[in-house]
Amino acid sequence: MQAYVLINCSTGSETTLISELKELPEIIEINGVWGKYDIFIKISTADPNGVEQIIKRLRNHPDVVDTYTMHVLYGQGGTIDNE
């Protein structure tokens, strides 16, 4: 399972939050971004419930204000279908 997540966090907490999230093995990409959201992450897990568990953990983090999750769709010819 893969998903992309956009995160809004408390002002000034971006660097600390990115450092903490980098420790989670399911997060295979993480970057600060400009715009409506502060952080972009890519989650990959073999566990069907893994994405949900990471999202719950994110939403319970005191510095996370809001999240927007986009689950990857399989079977549409995207690069995910080649894995």
Side-chain angles (χ1 to χ4, degrees), residues 21-81:
L21 296 177
K22 284 170 81 174
E23 301 300 318
L24 300 175
E26 298 88 358
I27 296 179
I28 60 172
E29 184 177 345
I30 183 166
N31 291 293
V33 293
W34 289 100
K36 184 176 179 178
Y37 295 94
D38 303 310
I39 299 171
F40 167 90
I41 65 172
K42 181 179 179 181
I43 299 170
S44 183
T45 177
D47 180 356
N49 297 318
V51 171
E52 183 180 345
Q53 292 169 356
I54 295 295
I55 300 304
K56 283 181 183 179
R57 187 169 179 176
L58 286 171
R59 289 184 172 192
N60 286 320
H61 193 286
D63 289 324
V64 173
V65 175
D66 188 34
T67 63
Y68 183 80
T69 304
M70 298 167 281
H71 288 273
V72 173
L73 294 176
Y74 294 83
Q76 293 187 331
T79 56
I80 191 73
D81 293 328

